[in-house]
Amino acid sequence: MPPKARETWKDQPDDRDYPAAADFLSLLMPTASAKRVVRKLRTAPLVRRKAKDLLRASRLPALTPKNPHVARDLKKVKAGKQLSPVLLVRGQMGSDIALTVADGYHRVCASYHLDEDADIPCRIADLATR
């Protein structure tokens, strides 16, 4: 049996991930608030969290490896290419607000299929406050 492919991660999110996160977040909050959260994401420290925990906290299902975007990320891993860390907005347990994957959902799912216990680098921001 061939060794299982293991993902490797970049030290910093790709520059294009931040505008993608802002676009997504602007569907959930006013654009000005989304921009404030993305500014926080740019300076948040890189932390590591397990794929299975990110899916549980976000309440999102693990997309199958047949999903075109997940398959693309799995091919990147197989080719030895590094994945970009994911961008997250912390949920609020007392308000029943789930973790929001602002950018990187497909990367989380790809990692989950490779090893649900693998640590994924992420930047986490809290919701913007005035």
Side-chain angles (χ1 to χ4, degrees), residues 56-60 89-93 95-101:
R56 288 171 54 209
S58 66
R59 301 180 192 150
L60 293 169
V89 180
R90 190 179 320 278
Q92 295 178 349
M93 186 177 261
S95 300
D96 197 34
I97 297 172
L99 173 77
T100 301
V101 181

PDB file of all heavy atoms in Angstrom, residues 56-60 89-93 95-101:
ATOM      1  N   ARG A  56     -16.617  20.572  12.865  1.00  0.00           N
ATOM      2  CA  ARG A  56     -17.610  20.511  13.940  1.00  0.00           C
ATOM      3  C   ARG A  56     -18.005  21.906  14.401  1.00  0.00           C
ATOM      4  O   ARG A  56     -19.196  22.199  14.578  1.00  0.00           O
ATOM      5  CB  ARG A  56     -17.058  19.713  15.121  1.00  0.00           C
ATOM      6  CG  ARG A  56     -16.974  18.230  14.841  1.00  0.00           C
ATOM      7  CD  ARG A  56     -16.241  17.471  15.921  1.00  0.00           C
ATOM      8  NE  ARG A  56     -16.778  17.711  17.243  1.00  0.00           N
ATOM      9  CZ  ARG A  56     -16.052  17.648  18.357  1.00  0.00           C
ATOM     10  NH1 ARG A  56     -14.766  17.366  18.325  1.00  0.00           N
ATOM     11  NH2 ARG A  56     -16.623  17.867  19.536  1.00  0.00           N
ATOM     12  N   ALA A  57     -17.024  22.781  14.620  1.00  0.00           N
ATOM     13  CA  ALA A  57     -17.313  24.127  15.123  1.00  0.00           C
ATOM     14  C   ALA A  57     -18.060  24.971  14.101  1.00  0.00           C
ATOM     15  O   ALA A  57     -18.853  25.837  14.467  1.00  0.00           O
ATOM     16  CB  ALA A  57     -16.016  24.820  15.544  1.00  0.00           C
ATOM     17  N   SER A  58     -17.814  24.714  12.828  1.00  0.00           N
ATOM     18  CA  SER A  58     -18.491  25.486  11.775  1.00  0.00           C
ATOM     19  C   SER A  58     -19.848  24.896  11.413  1.00  0.00           C
ATOM     20  O   SER A  58     -20.637  25.536  10.710  1.00  0.00           O
ATOM     21  CB  SER A  58     -17.619  25.557  10.527  1.00  0.00           C
ATOM     22  OG  SER A  58     -17.483  24.265   9.955  1.00  0.00           O
ATOM     23  N   ARG A  59     -20.077  23.666  11.861  1.00  0.00           N
ATOM     24  CA  ARG A  59     -21.315  22.939  11.542  1.00  0.00           C
ATOM     25  C   ARG A  59     -21.464  22.692  10.048  1.00  0.00           C
ATOM     26  O   ARG A  59     -22.573  22.557   9.531  1.00  0.00           O
ATOM     27  CB  ARG A  59     -22.543  23.667  12.085  1.00  0.00           C
ATOM     28  CG  ARG A  59     -22.523  23.875  13.570  1.00  0.00           C
ATOM     29  CD  ARG A  59     -23.750  24.600  14.045  1.00  0.00           C
ATOM     30  NE  ARG A  59     -23.563  25.038  15.430  1.00  0.00           N
ATOM     31  CZ  ARG A  59     -24.131  26.104  15.934  1.00  0.00           C
ATOM     32  NH1 ARG A  59     -24.935  26.852  15.212  1.00  0.00           N
ATOM     33  NH2 ARG A  59     -23.915  26.433  17.187  1.00  0.00           N
ATOM     34  N   LEU A  60     -20.338  22.630   9.362  1.00  0.00           N
ATOM     35  CA  LEU A  60     -20.352  22.356   7.926  1.00  0.00           C
ATOM     36  C   LEU A  60     -20.056  20.877   7.697  1.00  0.00           C
ATOM     37  O   LEU A  60     -19.273  20.276   8.426  1.00  0.00           O
ATOM     38  CB  LEU A  60     -19.289  23.206   7.212  1.00  0.00           C
ATOM     39  CG  LEU A  60     -19.535  24.707   7.208  1.00  0.00           C
ATOM     40  CD1 LEU A  60     -18.294  25.448   6.707  1.00  0.00           C
ATOM     41  CD2 LEU A  60     -20.744  25.044   6.351  1.00  0.00           C
ATOM     42  N   VAL A  89     -13.629  33.109  11.230  1.00  0.00           N
ATOM     43  CA  VAL A  89     -14.225  34.076  12.157  1.00  0.00           C
ATOM     44  C   VAL A  89     -14.809  33.260  13.303  1.00  0.00           C
ATOM     45  O   VAL A  89     -15.620  32.347  13.082  1.00  0.00           O
ATOM     46  CB  VAL A  89     -15.311  34.930  11.479  1.00  0.00           C
ATOM     47  CG1 VAL A  89     -15.908  35.911  12.481  1.00  0.00           C
ATOM     48  CG2 VAL A  89     -14.729  35.679  10.281  1.00  0.00           C
ATOM     49  N   ARG A  90     -14.356  33.561  14.498  1.00  0.00           N
ATOM     50  CA  ARG A  90     -14.754  32.803  15.688  1.00  0.00           C
ATOM     51  C   ARG A  90     -16.270  32.863  15.893  1.00  0.00           C
ATOM     52  O   ARG A  90     -16.886  33.915  15.762  1.00  0.00           O
ATOM     53  CB  ARG A  90     -14.060  33.369  16.919  1.00  0.00           C
ATOM     54  CG  ARG A  90     -14.220  32.511  18.164  1.00  0.00           C
ATOM     55  CD  ARG A  90     -13.505  33.090  19.378  1.00  0.00           C
ATOM     56  NE  ARG A  90     -12.213  33.654  19.090  1.00  0.00           N
ATOM     57  CZ  ARG A  90     -11.072  32.955  18.977  1.00  0.00           C
ATOM     58  NH1 ARG A  90     -11.096  31.654  19.105  1.00  0.00           N
ATOM     59  NH2 ARG A  90      -9.933  33.574  18.738  1.00  0.00           N
ATOM     60  N   GLY A  91     -16.849  31.727  16.240  1.00  0.00           N
ATOM     61  CA  GLY A  91     -18.260  31.664  16.574  1.00  0.00           C
ATOM     62  C   GLY A  91     -18.510  32.225  17.959  1.00  0.00           C
ATOM     63  O   GLY A  91     -17.573  32.610  18.670  1.00  0.00           O
ATOM     64  N   GLN A  92     -19.761  32.269  18.331  1.00  0.00           N
ATOM     65  CA  GLN A  92     -20.141  32.748  19.658  1.00  0.00           C
ATOM     66  C   GLN A  92     -21.085  31.723  20.275  1.00  0.00           C
ATOM     67  O   GLN A  92     -22.266  31.659  19.916  1.00  0.00           O
ATOM     68  CB  GLN A  92     -20.801  34.115  19.562  1.00  0.00           C
ATOM     69  CG  GLN A  92     -19.857  35.187  19.070  1.00  0.00           C
ATOM     70  CD  GLN A  92     -20.532  36.531  18.930  1.00  0.00           C
ATOM     71  OE1 GLN A  92     -21.746  36.649  19.003  1.00  0.00           O
ATOM     72  NE2 GLN A  92     -19.726  37.562  18.713  1.00  0.00           N
ATOM     73  N   MET A  93     -20.545  30.928  21.175  1.00  0.00           N
ATOM     74  CA  MET A  93     -21.302  29.820  21.747  1.00  0.00           C
ATOM     75  C   MET A  93     -22.585  30.291  22.433  1.00  0.00           C
ATOM     76  O   MET A  93     -23.641  29.721  22.229  1.00  0.00           O
ATOM     77  CB  MET A  93     -20.430  29.036  22.717  1.00  0.00           C
ATOM     78  CG  MET A  93     -21.095  27.802  23.245  1.00  0.00           C
ATOM     79  SD  MET A  93     -19.998  26.888  24.319  1.00  0.00           S
ATOM     80  CE  MET A  93     -19.443  25.647  23.177  1.00  0.00           C
ATOM     81  N   SER A  95     -24.424  32.729  21.825  1.00  0.00           N
ATOM     82  CA  SER A  95     -25.406  33.226  20.854  1.00  0.00           C
ATOM     83  C   SER A  95     -25.731  32.194  19.787  1.00  0.00           C
ATOM     84  O   SER A  95     -26.434  32.497  18.830  1.00  0.00           O
ATOM     85  CB  SER A  95     -24.875  34.500  20.178  1.00  0.00           C
ATOM     86  OG  SER A  95     -24.630  35.497  21.131  1.00  0.00           O
ATOM     87  N   ASP A  96     -25.173  30.993  19.930  1.00  0.00           N
ATOM     88  CA  ASP A  96     -25.382  29.902  18.973  1.00  0.00           C
ATOM     89  C   ASP A  96     -24.954  30.298  17.557  1.00  0.00           C
ATOM     90  O   ASP A  96     -25.627  29.982  16.580  1.00  0.00           O
ATOM     91  CB  ASP A  96     -26.837  29.425  18.989  1.00  0.00           C
ATOM     92  CG  ASP A  96     -26.991  28.050  18.342  1.00  0.00           C
ATOM     93  OD1 ASP A  96     -26.061  27.223  18.470  1.00  0.00           O
ATOM     94  OD2 ASP A  96     -28.035  27.808  17.694  1.00  0.00           O
ATOM     95  N   ILE A  97     -23.826  31.003  17.469  1.00  0.00           N
ATOM     96  CA  ILE A  97     -23.253  31.373  16.174  1.00  0.00           C
ATOM     97  C   ILE A  97     -22.057  30.461  15.929  1.00  0.00           C
ATOM     98  O   ILE A  97     -21.129  30.402  16.745  1.00  0.00           O
ATOM     99  CB  ILE A  97     -22.821  32.857  16.145  1.00  0.00           C
ATOM    100  CG1 ILE A  97     -24.049  33.753  16.342  1.00  0.00           C
ATOM    101  CG2 ILE A  97     -22.104  33.181  14.831  1.00  0.00           C
ATOM    102  CD1 ILE A  97     -23.719  35.220  16.515  1.00  0.00           C
ATOM    103  N   ALA A  98     -22.099  29.744  14.830  1.00  0.00           N
ATOM    104  CA  ALA A  98     -21.035  28.795  14.498  1.00  0.00           C
ATOM    105  C   ALA A  98     -19.787  29.518  13.996  1.00  0.00           C
ATOM    106  O   ALA A  98     -19.851  30.679  13.563  1.00  0.00           O
ATOM    107  CB  ALA A  98     -21.524  27.827  13.427  1.00  0.00           C
ATOM    108  N   LEU A  99     -18.665  28.814  14.055  1.00  0.00           N
ATOM    109  CA  LEU A  99     -17.438  29.284  13.418  1.00  0.00           C
ATOM    110  C   LEU A  99     -17.726  29.508  11.940  1.00  0.00           C
ATOM    111  O   LEU A  99     -18.413  28.702  11.298  1.00  0.00           O
ATOM    112  CB  LEU A  99     -16.352  28.211  13.569  1.00  0.00           C
ATOM    113  CG  LEU A  99     -15.041  28.440  12.835  1.00  0.00           C
ATOM    114  CD1 LEU A  99     -14.204  29.468  13.597  1.00  0.00           C
ATOM    115  CD2 LEU A  99     -14.285  27.131  12.708  1.00  0.00           C
ATOM    116  N   THR A 100     -17.207  30.594  11.379  1.00  0.00           N
ATOM    117  CA  THR A 100     -17.373  30.867   9.955  1.00  0.00           C
ATOM    118  C   THR A 100     -16.048  30.651   9.245  1.00  0.00           C
ATOM    119  O   THR A 100     -15.033  31.237   9.632  1.00  0.00           O
ATOM    120  CB  THR A 100     -17.848  32.321   9.716  1.00  0.00           C
ATOM    121  OG1 THR A 100     -19.097  32.512  10.389  1.00  0.00           O
ATOM    122  CG2 THR A 100     -18.009  32.610   8.235  1.00  0.00           C
ATOM    123  N   VAL A 101     -16.063  29.805   8.242  1.00  0.00           N
ATOM    124  CA  VAL A 101     -14.875  29.613   7.404  1.00  0.00           C
ATOM    125  C   VAL A 101     -14.959  30.676   6.314  1.00  0.00           C
ATOM    126  O   VAL A 101     -15.703  30.539   5.348  1.00  0.00           O
ATOM    127  CB  VAL A 101     -14.819  28.192   6.804  1.00  0.00           C
ATOM    128  CG1 VAL A 101     -13.558  28.039   5.960  1.00  0.00           C
ATOM    129  CG2 VAL A 101     -14.868  27.137   7.899  1.00  0.00           C
TER     130      VAL A 101
END
